[in-house]
Amino acid sequence: MERDFRGADLSGGDFADSWFTQAVLAGVRFRGAIFYRADLQWADLTGADLTGADFVRANLDGAVLRSARLDGADMTKASLHGVDASGASFRGTRVMGSSLFGVDLRGADLTDAVLFQNTFKVTVDDSTEVCGLTGTVFGPITVCGGESSQELAGAELEAWIAKRGGQVQVIPPHGPPQ
C-alpha cells in the first residue's frame, strides 16, 4: 500500500515506532518531528524539511534524501545503508554511533555536523561541504572528481577533511583512539 504525503506539513509530529516504508514524503515539512525507532526504509524524502528532527535509532536504509534539509537533526544510532543524500543539508546534525554505508553525500552540506564513531563508507565530491565537521569515524570514504574516484582512509581522510575546514579523527580498524 503506497503512502503519499507530498506537500503536507507534519512539523512537530510524534512518529516514534511508525512505519513509513516506501512512503512518498517528498517536500513534506517535518520540522522537529520525532522518528525514534521509526522505519523509513525506501521512503522518498526528496526536498523534505527535517530540521531538528529526531531520528534516534531510525531505519533509513534505501531512503532518498536528495536535497532534504536535516539541519540540527539527531541521527544517533540511525541506520543509513544505500541512501541517496546528494545535495542534502546536515548543518549541525549529530550523527553518533550510526551506520552510513553506501551513502551518496555528493554536494551535501555537513557544516558543523558532529560525528562520533560512525561506520562511514560514503561517497563525496569537491562540492561536499565539511567546514566545521568534527568527531570520529571509521572510514573509508570515496571522493569523486570528474571521471575518477579515490578511496581515502586514515591520515589521508583526516587531511582531506582538514583541508576543507573540518577536524575528524579516523578510528583505526583495531578500535577507538586512546
Side-chain angles (χ1 to χ4, degrees):
M1 178 170 134
E2 186 174 308
R3 293 169 277 300
D4 188 337
F5 298 92
R6 277 182 281 217
D9 187 346
L10 302 172
S11 295
D14 185 346
F15 304 104
D17 295 310
S18 295
W19 288 79
F20 285 100
T21 304
Q22 298 181 341
V24 179
L25 304 166
V28 174
R29 287 179 47 98
F30 282 112
R31 295 177 70 90
I34 299 168
F35 292 98
Y36 177 76
R37 289 189 184 263
D39 191 332
L40 294 123
Q41 287 185 82
W42 304 104
D44 181 358
L45 292 151
T46 301
D49 185 352
L50 301 153
T51 302
D54 175 349
F55 287 99
V56 174
R57 297 187 179 275
N59 182 350
L60 291 147
D61 294 350
V64 178
L65 295 169
R66 263 189 310 266
S67 302
R69 172 162 282 163
L70 295 111
D71 299 344
D74 186 350
M75 303 191 88
T76 302
K77 297 196 177 187
S79 179
L80 292 91
H81 288 234
V83 170
D84 179 355
S86 56
S89 181
F90 294 90
R91 295 175 72 88
T93 299
R94 294 179 349 134
V95 185
M96 307 175 100
S98 299
S99 180
L100 287 81
F101 191 85
V103 177
D104 185 349
L105 290 172
R106 289 178 285 186
D109 186 350
L110 298 160
T111 301
D112 298 326
V114 178
L115 308 174
F116 181 74
Q117 295 186 1
N118 298 293
T119 302
F120 205 64
K121 287 192 163 203
V122 301
T123 301
V124 298
D125 62 11
D126 286 332
S127 67
T128 303
E129 293 289 333
V130 296
C131 185
L133 178 67
T134 59
T136 57
V137 296
F138 297 97
I141 68 168
T142 301
V143 179
C144 294
E147 298 293 317
S148 65
S149 65
Q150 176 183 8
E151 190 171 276
L152 299 178
E156 287 180 317
L157 175 53
E158 290 175 2
W160 186 88
I161 292 171
K163 182 178 175 185
R164 287 157 182 78
Q167 186 175 358
V168 171
Q169 183 176 14
V170 178
I171 300 170
H174 60 272
Q178 300 298 324

